[in-house]
Every structure is written in structure tokens, then in C-alpha cells.
Amino acid sequence: MLTITLLPVRSDNYIFLAVDSATGFRFVVDPADAEPVLDALAGEKLDAILNTHHHGDHVGGNLELKAATGCTIIGPAADRDRIPGIDRAVADGETVALGASEALVMDVPGHTRGHIAYYCAESAALFCGDTLFALGCGRLFEGTPAQMWDALKRFRALPADTRIYCAHEYTESNLRFAEHLLPGDPALSAYGVEIRAKRAQGLPTVPALIGQETAASPFLRADDGEMAAKLGLAVNADPVAVFAEIRGRKDRF
């Protein structure tokens, strides 16, 4: 099992520092900056960095952490040329040993061409970078709506108690958009109460839960005829087209 600590950095990023309880294997996911990680380590070893994609607010600390700790940097094979200091390039279906734990690599392009996620089944943890957010998903900078919808369906198929360790605290903004799109939606309304209570106390909304997101997030409901109808589309509209409409409206919101 993994013990996972959130390290808030920059304006809204999260770095995740995780320790395998059986072996003490320690790794960090998407280190935007090195200093917060080194402070949190407090002299303890760092075995690995897991990168989900190439953006600077996910790999900015790679080289400094590698120089300071000798850790191994693991990242997407499809983006190996853009991951600073990469030692091991991984792709869909491969596993990464994390002490006694392991992570399944999932190719989830859309936000970027080579985006991956790491799913740790025994810890019910998904490190999904900028593909999925609480009540949202990443912008399509390098991929297509079809790619992103396929990625979201893969996440939606995971067990309902899977915790989503997404890399940004965008939830309140996503909530406002979702409520604009789905006023009065029961699942969304209940989730909104929880989100606002956490943020009022200065608490993170991450990790979120797959089950809660599946019930409330418009981005995970693109194949729901009721969702299509609310957008003025045919009940039997192509889910990719429905997703593209939702993503486009969020981009303009």
C-alpha cells in the first residue's frame, strides 16, 4: 500500500510524494519544482520520479531532483524527447515496480500527444496528470476529442473507490461550469456542497473518487442521452461529438 502526501506548489499545482509502506520505496509524481520535494523528503531517499507528460509544471523539478538524489526518472515513451532526464520510457500496458507496489501504465493522449497515467490498483490510486480533473478534464492542446473521450472512458471503468490524484486544484472553477451546464442536477448539487465546504476550510478537493466523478461530471457523461439533450443535441448523438461540445463550452466559459 502507498502512503501519499500532497505538496501544493505554484498557484494551483499538486506534486504527489508517495511511499510504499512495505519497502520504504519513495517516489514523486510530476514535480513542478524541486525545492518543495527536497523539503518534504527531509533527507530521506528518493527512488523515482513518475512523469505523466512534458509540461513544465510537471517536469520542472526533474533535473534538480535527479542531481540531488540520484533517482530514476520514468515517463511516457511517446514523449521521451520532451521529458528532462528520462531514464526509462514506458507505454500502455507496462508496469512500473514501486517497491512492493506497482503501477499500470495507461496511454491517455489528448491533453498532450504522449500523456500517460499510472494506476496503482492495490492502493486504489490513479495518478492522471492533466487528463482528468475533479469535475473536469484537460484542454486538448495536442490531441483530439476522440482520444480524450477514450481516455476518460478508461478511467470511468476503474473501480468506483479509485482515488483520482489529478495535478491541479481546478475544482471550484469546474464546479461553476458544471452547474451552469446542469442546473439542479442532484448528484452535482450534493458534490458541490462537499467541494465548497472543503475549499472554505482551505482543504484540497484532491483526491476525488471515480464513482463520484462518474455520477456528477459532465465530461464523463458524454454518452448519456440526457446529457446530449441538455446541450441541444440528438439523444443518440455520437458521444465524441457530445464530449467535444462540452469541452468547447468549457473553453469559452
Side-chain angles (χ1 to χ4, degrees):
M1 295 291 290
L2 299 173
T3 299
I4 302 167
T5 302
L6 276 65
L7 305 179
V9 298
R10 304 194 181 189
S11 61
D12 54 32
N13 275 73
Y14 288 123
I15 300 170
F16 304 109
L17 179 62
V19 182
D20 173 58
S21 57
T23 63
F25 186 97
R26 189 174 282 99
F27 65 95
V28 66
V29 182
D30 285 348
D33 301 299
E35 185 175 354
V37 177
L38 293 172
D39 288 346
L41 288 172
E44 295 289 342
K45 65 174 182 173
L46 180 67
D47 296 290
I49 291 171
L50 305 186
N51 288 137
T52 61
H53 64 294
H54 74 90
H55 286 160
D57 60 341
H58 293 255
V59 302
N62 276 19
L63 296 181
E64 186 176 344
L65 286 171
K66 185 173 181 177
T69 68
C71 64
T72 298
I73 298 178
I74 302 166
D79 237 357
R80 72 181 75 205
D81 57 319
R82 299 194 287 184
I83 304 296
I86 190 168
D87 297 298
R88 180 184 172 193
V90 293
D92 195 63
E94 292 187 54
T95 57
V96 177
L98 305 166
S101 299
E102 70 174 20
L104 172 68
V105 178
M106 305 171 72
D107 281 347
V108 287
H111 181 64
T112 65
R113 72 182 189 207
H115 204 301
I116 61 175
Y118 301 89
Y119 173 51
C120 303
E122 71 278 6
S123 296
L126 174 69
F127 299 102
C128 56
D130 285 358
T131 298
L132 177 66
F133 297 122
L135 291 179
C137 74
R139 288 179 178 268
L140 304 182
F141 290 129
E142 299 174 7
T144 67
Q147 286 177 318
M148 184 64 92
W149 176 237
D150 283 345
L152 297 181
K153 286 191 295 181
R154 293 188 73 183
F155 292 158
R156 192 177 64 177
L158 296 175
D161 64 349
T162 302
R163 292 170 293 160
I164 304 164
Y165 289 93
C166 53
H168 291 275
E169 184 59 67
Y170 290 163
T171 313
E172 278 191 302
S173 173
N174 291 339
L175 173 62
R176 289 191 292 271
F177 170 71
E179 289 176 333
H180 168 76
L181 208 61
L182 301 170
D185 182 85
L188 180 60
S189 296
Y191 194 14
V193 170
E194 179 183 327
I195 288 166
R196 290 192 170 98
K198 286 181 177 178
R199 296 310 291 158
Q201 299 174 65
L203 298 175
T205 60
V206 176
L209 293 173
I210 286 287
Q212 200 163 29
E213 291 298 317
T214 298
S217 175
F219 293 94
L220 294 178
R221 294 156 70 178
D223 53 357
D224 181 341
E226 185 177 342
M227 182 79 245
K230 287 181 181 294
L231 298 172
L233 302 175
V235 172
N236 62 347
D238 180 357
V240 173
V242 177
F243 169 78
E245 178 67 19
I246 297 168
R247 184 62 257 181
R249 292 192 187 195
K250 178 63 166 66
D251 291 344
R252 300 186 296 272
F253 184 69

